[in-house]
């Protein structure tokens, strides 16, 4: 079920978890929040993505707004099947290596999973990263022993440095996530924070 979702459709599912929306509102929120760093937003592709979610039973239309002279706007609601598919996709992608766009989107939507589950999934990712990093450093050491010129190792050295930064970030995030005083998920946010988020959403569509 989750395999049929794309990174863009998972972002749409995440928006519909918040409340019912029409595609125009979704696109504006994505851009306002800077999530267009993660996926490409084009009108045709976006509307096609929403239509596919509806066709597969992951979203359902709940009304059409025909106010004023603007085009009719269909409002969509997330179905239980869609919510589960989105959560399963995030579970699937968080621990995986080698799929950077999918990981970034899964991470951005991981707040919809329980804290303990996210810790477990990212701990699995850390173990996979450790194994891959060890293999990479073995290759570098073997290359150094053969006196391979640096010009042929520059990309692998860069990847090794990026992995070091990834480890540092991941360890720090796991430490924060393990702290029960750090809010995780919408329900744990202070009421005033949720009210600010609601006010922000309203300002985007007004």
């Amino acid at each position: 079920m989750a395999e049929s979702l794309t990174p863009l459709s998972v972002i749409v599912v995440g928006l519909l978890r918040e409340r019912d929306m029409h595609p125009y509102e979704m696109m504006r929120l994505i851009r306002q929040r800077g999530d267009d760093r993660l996926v490409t937003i084009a009108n045709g592709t976006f509307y096609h993505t929403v239509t596919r979610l509806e066709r597969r039973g992951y979203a359902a239309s709940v009304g059409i707004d025909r106010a004023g002279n603007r085009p009719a706007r269909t409002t969509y609601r997330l179905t239980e099947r869609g919510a589960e598919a989105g959560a399963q996709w995030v579970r699937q992608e968080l621990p995986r290596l080698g799929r950077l766009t999918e990981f970034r989107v899964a991470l951005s939507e991981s707040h919809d999973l329980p804290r303990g589950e996210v810790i477990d999934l990212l701990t699995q990712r850390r173990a996979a990263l450790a194994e891959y990093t060890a293999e990479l450093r073995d290759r570098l050491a073997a290359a150094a022993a053969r006196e391979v010129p640096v010009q042929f190792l520059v990309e692998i050295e860069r990847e090794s440095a990026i992995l070091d930064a990834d480890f540092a970030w991941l360890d720090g995030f796991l430490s924060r996530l393990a702290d029960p005083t750090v809010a995780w998920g919408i329900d744990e946010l202070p009421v005033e924070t949720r009210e600010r988020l609601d006010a922000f959403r309203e300002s985007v569509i007004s």
Side-chain angles (χ1 to χ4, degrees):
M1 182 164 61
E3 287 77 4
S4 63
L5 294 176
T6 64
L8 176 57
S9 61
V10 172
I11 288 178
V12 172
V13 166
L15 289 170
L16 291 178
R17 278 183 183 274
E18 298 179 27
R19 64 185 174 104
D20 302 348
M21 297 187 196
H22 53 73
Y24 179 72
E25 179 184 355
M26 295 181 213
M27 284 191 286
R28 287 194 64 181
L29 273 172
I30 288 171
R31 292 185 174 115
Q32 286 278 349
R33 294 172 177 178
D35 286 342
D36 51 348
R37 298 174 300 106
L38 307 177
V39 291
T40 300
I41 305 296
N43 285 6
T45 302
F46 195 89
Y47 281 92
H48 178 65
T49 295
V50 175
T51 299
R52 287 182 65 200
L53 288 172
E54 182 182 23
R55 189 164 58 241
R56 291 176 179 174
Y58 295 163
S61 60
V62 293
I64 299 177
D65 179 9
R66 302 182 185 276
N69 295 322
R70 69 188 184 195
R73 293 175 177 173
T74 302
T75 297
Y76 293 89
R77 174 174 297 161
L78 185 65
T79 65
E80 184 176 341
R81 185 181 178 202
E84 178 51 38
Q88 184 57 34
W89 191 94
V90 172
R91 292 186 186 103
Q92 174 182 287
E93 296 299 336
L94 268 184
R96 281 187 176 181
L97 303 185
R99 292 162 61 88
L100 182 57
T101 296
E102 287 80 358
F103 172 67
R104 293 177 72 196
V105 171
L107 188 63
S108 74
E109 299 297 332
S110 62
H111 55 82
D112 288 322
L113 296 183
R115 181 193 303 265
E117 190 170 2
V118 175
I119 290 173
D120 180 58
L121 291 167
L122 290 178
T123 299
Q124 292 176 40
R125 181 180 184 84
R126 191 191 189 287
L129 275 175
E131 183 176 345
Y132 177 66
T133 300
E135 293 174 1
L136 199 65
R137 286 177 178 160
D138 285 346
R139 286 184 224 161
L140 279 171
R146 297 196 307 272
E147 298 183 347
V148 175
V150 68
Q151 62 186 319
F152 300 118
L153 300 175
V154 63
E155 194 284 326
I156 197 169
E157 288 181 349
R158 174 185 178 274
E159 185 173 10
S160 180
I162 290 172
L163 285 168
D164 287 341
D166 206 0
F167 269 117
W169 171 82
L170 189 51
D171 286 342
F173 181 65
L174 284 169
S175 177
R176 279 184 289 153
L177 199 54
D179 181 353
T181 66
V182 175
W184 183 254
I186 295 296
D187 292 341
E188 292 188 13
L189 290 174
V191 173
E192 58 271 20
T193 302
R194 280 180 276 171
E195 289 175 347
R196 284 201 303 272
L197 289 173
D198 289 340
F200 172 74
R201 282 195 293 263
E202 291 301 325
S203 71
V204 168
I205 63 172
S206 59

